[in-house]
Amino acid sequence: EPEVTQTPSHQVTQMGQEVILRCVPISNHLHFYWYRQILGQKVEFLVSFYNNEISEKSEIFDDQFSVERPDGSNFTLKIRSTKLEDSAMYFCASSDARGSQEQFFGPGTRLTVL
Amino acid sequence: AQTVTQSQPEMSVQEAETVTLSCTYDTSESNYYLFWYKQPPSRQMILVIRQEAYKQQNATENRFSVNFQKAAKSFSLKISDSQLGDTAMYFCAFMNSGAGSYQLTFGKGTKLSVIP
C-alpha cells in the first residue's frame, strides 16, 4: 500500500542553523501539507501546497519557513535559522482532495534544536 | 477559528470491552468534516473514521462508530470489542469544507491503552 515517507527520522541541529526536512508524498496525490507537534501540545497546521504554490499557511509559518517541490516526488520544508522553539515533530501529509478529504500522514521527523 | 477539545488525556479498556472517546469542537461554520485519526506507538497517523456534517447518520467502520451531535458540537468515537492493536493515541480533527480549505485542526489527543 502506498505511504508517505519522511527523512530523516531525527534531526539534531544547532540554533541558527538551516535545516531541510524531506517528504515523499503518495505519487498520485496533488495536495501536500506540513504539520508540527511540540512535545505535549496539539498537532498544528503549518502550510498546504498545491499546483506548485502555497494554498494556505498558518501564523506559525513565518519568513523563516519555506516549502518546495524540487522535483516530481519530493516535498521539502526548510527552516532558515532554527530557534529553540522549533524543536518538535514535523509531519508531512498528502491528499488527492477529490472529495474524500483524507490526508495520509508520514511517520514524522523529530527536530531537536540545541 | 475552530477549536477541538479532547478532555480525556488517557484512557484504558479491557480487551473485548467497549470504550468511548470524547471530542467537542467549536465552529461557526455549517459545512465541515470531522475525523478520528489513530497513531500507534512509533507509527504514522492513520484515518479511523470520517463524518460529513451534513449527514445525520453516524459513520461506522467495522468496530468503530461515532456519535455525532451537531447541535451540541460533539463527536465521540466508540470502539467495540477492543483489541490489543487498538492501543494508540487517538486524535479528533476538524476540517472546514468550504473555500477549498483542507487544513486540519486537531485536539490534543487521547492515549488509549487496551489491557489484556
Side-chain angles (χ1 to χ4, degrees):
Chain A
E1 188 171 329
E3 58 182 24
V4 177
T5 59
Q6 290 184 242
T7 54
S9 57
H10 190 191
Q11 174 89 48
V12 181
T13 190
Q14 295 289 327
M15 189 171 58
Q17 295 295 304
E18 175 183 286
V19 295
I20 297 176
L21 309 184
R22 291 183 167 79
C23 168
V24 179
I26 293 173
S27 62
N28 63 343
H29 284 183
L30 301 176
H31 294 256
F32 315 114
Y33 314 86
W34 284 102
Y35 293 84
R36 79 171 186 191
Q37 184 180 29
I38 295 172
L39 187 63
Q41 299 186 24
K42 297 184 179 185
V43 177
E44 302 171 291
F45 169 79
L46 292 178
V47 66
S48 60
F49 191 85
Y50 171 72
N51 200 25
N52 285 320
E53 62 182 26
I54 291 173
S55 46
E56 273 187 289
K57 62 181 181 179
S58 71
E59 292 177 353
I60 303 168
F61 194 87
D62 61 22
D63 292 344
Q64 292 299 312
F65 292 89
S66 62
V67 289
E68 192 177 30
R69 188 155 163 84
D71 53 43
S73 60
N74 289 285
F75 178 52
T76 62
L77 174 68
K78 182 193 292 186
I79 310 175
R80 288 190 183 81
S81 178
T82 50
K83 306 170 195 168
L84 295 177
E85 54 264 37
D86 293 327
S87 294
M89 278 292 281
Y90 288 81
F91 296 102
C92 174
S94 69
S95 69
D96 62 12
R98 286 183 301 151
S100 72
Q101 312 302 343
E102 179 177 357
Q103 294 181 18
F104 292 78
F105 283 80
T109 292
R110 180 169 298 283
L111 176 65
T112 301
V113 182
L114 302 176
Chain B
Q2 287 73 229
T3 59
V4 177
T5 302
Q6 293 179 249
S7 59
Q8 305 150 316
E10 291 192 44
M11 293 190 74
S12 61
V13 62
Q14 291 290 137
E15 197 175 4
E17 296 295 308
T18 295
V19 65
T20 298
L21 308 184
S22 300
C23 173
T24 58
Y25 59 95
D26 190 23
T27 183
S28 58
E29 304 293 336
S30 57
N31 295 316
Y32 49 88
Y33 298 90
L34 294 163
F35 305 85
W36 279 98
Y37 276 88
K38 168 186 176 181
Q39 186 180 34
S42 302
R43 297 186 61 185
Q44 50 239 73
M45 270 191 286
I46 56 173
L47 181 66
V48 174
I49 199 165
R50 172 182 55 245
Q51 176 80 42
E52 290 89 342
Y54 67 87
K55 289 186 177 178
Q56 291 188 332
Q57 187 172 7
N58 288 324
T60 299
E61 289 286 342
N62 301 312
R63 299 183 294 108
F64 298 87
S65 61
V66 298
N67 183 5
F68 173 49
Q69 301 289 328
K70 191 172 184 179
K73 295 180 181 173
S74 170
F75 182 62
S76 60
L77 174 70
K78 185 171 84 171
I79 307 174
S80 304
D81 185 27
S82 297
Q83 300 176 359
L84 297 179
D86 295 333
T87 292
M89 281 291 289
Y90 287 82
F91 295 98
C92 180
F94 173 101
M95 179 191 290
N96 181 1
S97 62
S101 172
Y102 302 119
Q103 172 184 156
L104 284 168
T105 300
F106 285 90
K108 286 191 76 170
T110 296
K111 184 177 181 181
L112 177 68
S113 300
V114 180
I115 302 165

